[in-house]
Amino acid sequence: MKRGAKGRASGRALPWVIGAVLVLVAGVVTAATPPEQALLDPFVVRGAADGGPATARTLAAVVVDVTRTEHVTMTDEEWEAEGNWLVVELAVSAPTTEVDAAIGVASLLIDGRVFQASERPPATLVGTDLRVGTDTVGMLAFELPDDLRSGVGELRLSGRYPTPELDDVIAFRVDLDQASTAPSVEIEAPRLGTP
């Protein structure tokens, strides 16, 4: 009699154990499944830690210099501005084709905030047509809030399309504390050649 009661008790517990295992498996699958938005996110191609080159589908880029300044100018355009500026000099080219080869969006992600390259300077690398096999050297200027003077962020460059879904984006580490400083930086118009 005791054996039969024990068999019935284990027979009743078996569905509960199977149910608990299925709930656990469902939880693991749910946790491992990326959110729907992540399925459309761009592929990030990171440059070397020292600012070395990175190549994506439509862009190949290398960071030449990163400078913090409080005054930016463009002598040819008789333009200048004061503020908390981060100026990034880059050498950029088209890796395989000149179709759609341009920096469409340049952004700086730092301290949980996103800053777009300023449109105030009359000539920057944003929108400049790129060539295969020949670098275009130019600058991007980011106007930062006055309280943002230090920290580590990421410079992101993407092609002509403002939402690079399922495309690649080049990313470089930018350390504001390691950037050189200058009282003034002249923003040069993009030019073909070497840095």
Side-chain angles (χ1 to χ4, degrees):
M1 295 271 285
K2 287 184 181 178
R3 269 193 196 167
K6 192 175 184 182
R8 282 191 298 256
S10 65
R12 283 187 232 143
L14 185 60
W16 286 99
V17 171
I18 292 172
V21 169
L22 290 175
V23 167
L24 183 63
V25 169
V28 169
V29 169
T30 301
T33 303
E36 185 177 332
Q37 180 57 38
L39 300 175
L40 301 175
D41 282 349
F43 305 101
V44 179
V45 178
R46 299 193 187 285
D50 62 355
T55 302
R57 183 182 64 83
T58 59
L59 301 171
V62 64
V63 173
V64 177
D65 190 32
V66 178
T67 307
R68 292 180 50 225
T69 187
E70 304 220 348
H71 184 248
V72 289
T73 64
M74 278 196 81
T75 306
D76 295 347
E77 302 288 338
E78 295 182 7
W79 177 88
E80 63 182 313
E82 301 284 337
N84 181 20
W85 291 90
L86 181 74
V87 180
V88 181
E89 184 178 8
L90 298 163
V92 192
S93 64
T96 56
T97 177
E98 294 175 4
V99 175
D100 292 334
I103 296 173
V105 178
S107 55
L108 180 67
L109 289 71
I110 189 165
D111 235 8
R113 298 184 274 184
V114 178
F115 304 96
Q116 302 297 326
S118 178
E119 296 177 354
R120 291 177 63 196
T124 68
L125 272 174
V126 175
T128 301
D129 291 329
L130 303 176
R131 306 283 174 254
V132 173
T134 303
D135 283 339
T136 298
V137 179
M139 298 176 164
L140 300 170
F142 295 89
E143 191 170 10
L144 304 177
D146 197 51
D147 65 332
L148 187 55
R149 303 269 176 184
S150 64
V152 178
E154 190 172 72
L155 170 67
R156 287 193 169 194
L157 308 173
S158 61
R160 284 204 186 272
Y161 303 104
T163 53
E165 294 180 346
L166 295 175
D167 204 350
D168 33 10
V169 171
I170 292 177
F172 294 102
R173 183 178 186 271
V174 174
D175 188 339
L176 296 183
D177 300 312
Q178 298 296 320
S180 60
T181 58
S184 181
V185 173
E186 181 170 353
I187 297 177
E188 300 172 6
R191 61 176 172 75
L192 294 177
T194 56

